[in-house]
Amino acid sequence: MSGFNTLAVHAGQSKDPHTGAVIPPIYQTSTFIQDGINVLRAGHEYSRGSNPTRNGFEEQLAALEHGAAGYSFASGIAAEDALLRAVLQPGDHIVLGADGYGGTNRLISQLHSKWGITSSAVDITNLDAVRTALRPNTALLWLETPSNPLLGIADVAGWAALAREAGALLVVDNTFATPYLQRPLEFGAHAVVHSTTKYIGGHSDVLGGAVIVADHEHRGQSLAQAVSFQQFAGGAVSGPQDSYLAARGLKTLGLRMARHCASANTIAHWLDSHEDVARVYYPGLESHPGHELAARQQRDFGGIVSLQLADEAAARAFAESMHYFQLSVSLGGVESLVCYPREMTHASLIGTPLEVPANLVRLSVGIEEVEDLLGDLERGLSAAARASQGQRVAVHA
Ligand SMILES: *Cc1c(COP(=O)(O)O)cnc(C)c1O
């Protein structure tokens, strides 16, 4: 099989045979003319069922994940919802990594719970805890590694072995790592989900999600059949323009990820030696508990760095005071972003055991010159120190 960047550029991206256009046209159409009743010219009938632009992207992404088939949706959450509906039945139980995307937890605990789905949250780094959480009705294990926002690293092969023992499926949210850094299906996962909004789109200009499945039978049908039918019957597909933007982004994923990783690594080490930073979470640091596992399981350590500052006032001032690190949710674009997870991405977890610490901020390191980013962080840390000191003075006054 061809290498990563070759597949990224060519898989699913066949040239236009009619005009020779190097880039396949965007098939901005809802329906396809039939040559007779149910005589379809190229297999396409209606764009909810299939559309060449969407299908090209699905093939491209499935090739990069080494999966049997891929399915593209309107958002990451729509992809997750479709997968859950495709494989679960009322009464099923999910073992869910505790440190994960807040919206995934909300989807399961507030929407799917209405159809009798229950879940238990576990420490993703502790396989004994995962085993203990398994129940006779556990149908699914759901894992994010590296996790969000604490960048924990889980042993995907270990989770996959437990899923098989339990007769359950393992789903891995591969949004943070992307197939450039890690391919969970090769470690035994049954399905991968993505928010293609993040690194795959890569330019913060499109929402999207995807499910990529292994060749696996589940409850009497293949996973591909189950997800494909859910996509068609549930209808949360990505449109042609969005599919095109995701496919265009995916072509340069390898180049961008290499740069994100290099800069994040520089930044994590710089922060780690800075006196105003209480703690840095980055799997590329030798002190990170998952460092060696990440080195085995991933090509590199990723573009996300989280850090804890002296206190909440420092974290807020840091997040609000930088120029290149713009305050916003989301991640994975070419521009650097900073987020205050407790009250932004993970606000739905406040008051639960899963709530995020008040002094934590998360950086999505972009592709700008790393010297400029370090200067920006220095500005942020000065603002943080002033805010923290100001608060201490106010408390003592
Ligand atoms: C953003 C994100 C999602 C949700 O994707 P949307 O495209 O926002 O719907 C799921 N998982 C992870 C890890 C994410 O970062």
Side-chain angles (χ1 to χ4, degrees), residues 2 27 52 60 66 71 79 87 97 118-119 168 225 245 259 274 283 285 293-294 326 330 332 342 354 372 384:
S2 306
Y27 287 85
Q60 182 190 15
H66 295 187
Y71 302 93
V87 301
T118 53
S119 63
Q225 280 168 325
L245 284 171
R259 171 77 169 202
H274 199 291
L285 293 175
L293 177 56
Q326 302 169 94
S330 200
R342 181 183 171 85
L354 304 182
D372 293 329

Side-chain angles (χ1 to χ4, degrees), residues 74-80 100-101 103-104 144 146 148 173-176 193-198 206-209 330-331 362:
S75 70
I77 282 292
E80 295 183 9
Y101 183 69
T104 303
E144 222 177 293
N148 177 13
D173 183 333
N174 206 27
T175 299
F176 272 40
V193 297
H194 278 287
S195 170
T196 58
T197 311
K198 314 293 168 54
V206 64
L207 281 180
S330 200
L331 57 101
R362 186 188 74 192

Side-chain angles (χ1 to χ4, degrees), residues 295-316:
R296 279 203 306 279
Q297 196 168 265
Q298 303 178 195
R299 186 202 292 248
D300 204 335
F301 300 107
I304 307 295
V305 180
S306 291
L307 62 151
Q308 281 177 304
L309 293 158
D311 50 32
E312 177 173 348
R316 287 177 175 276

Side-chain angles (χ1 to χ4, degrees), residues 320-387:
E320 291 176 348
S321 63
M322 287 183 287
H323 175 65
Y324 294 118
F325 283 93
Q326 302 169 94
L327 179 63
S328 125
V329 297
S330 200
L331 57 101
V334 293
E335 59 287 299
S336 292
L337 299 177
V338 59
C339 159
Y340 184 64
R342 181 183 171 85
E343 290 181 17
M344 292 170 64
T345 47
H346 291 62
S348 65
L349 302 181
I350 291 179
T352 75
L354 304 182
E355 70 178 13
V356 173
N359 64 346
L360 187 98
V361 286
R362 186 188 74 192
L363 304 174
S364 174
V365 176
I367 65 167
E368 301 95 333
E369 299 300 333
V370 74
E371 294 75 21
D372 293 329
L373 296 181
L374 291 172
D376 208 26
L377 293 166
E378 187 67 70
R379 256 194 304 282
L381 289 174
S382 304
R386 283 194 302 276

Side-chain angles (χ1 to χ4, degrees), residues 25 35 40 53 57 63 66 71 87 95 108 125 145 179 202 204 233 251 258 279 301 343 360 362 371 389 395:
D35 290 330
L40 307 179
T53 309
F57 170 58
H66 295 187
Y71 302 93
V87 301
V95 172
I108 293 170
T125 64
T145 180
S204 305
K251 291 179 187 177
R279 181 165 174 191
F301 300 107
E343 290 181 17
L360 187 98
R362 186 188 74 192
E371 294 75 21
Q389 212 163 32
V395 168

Side-chain angles (χ1 to χ4, degrees), residues 54 65 93 125 156 162 166 207 270 295 370 379:
R54 188 177 85 226
E65 287 284 5
H93 172 252
T125 64
V156 180
L162 287 176
L207 281 180
W270 182 85
V370 74
R379 256 194 304 282

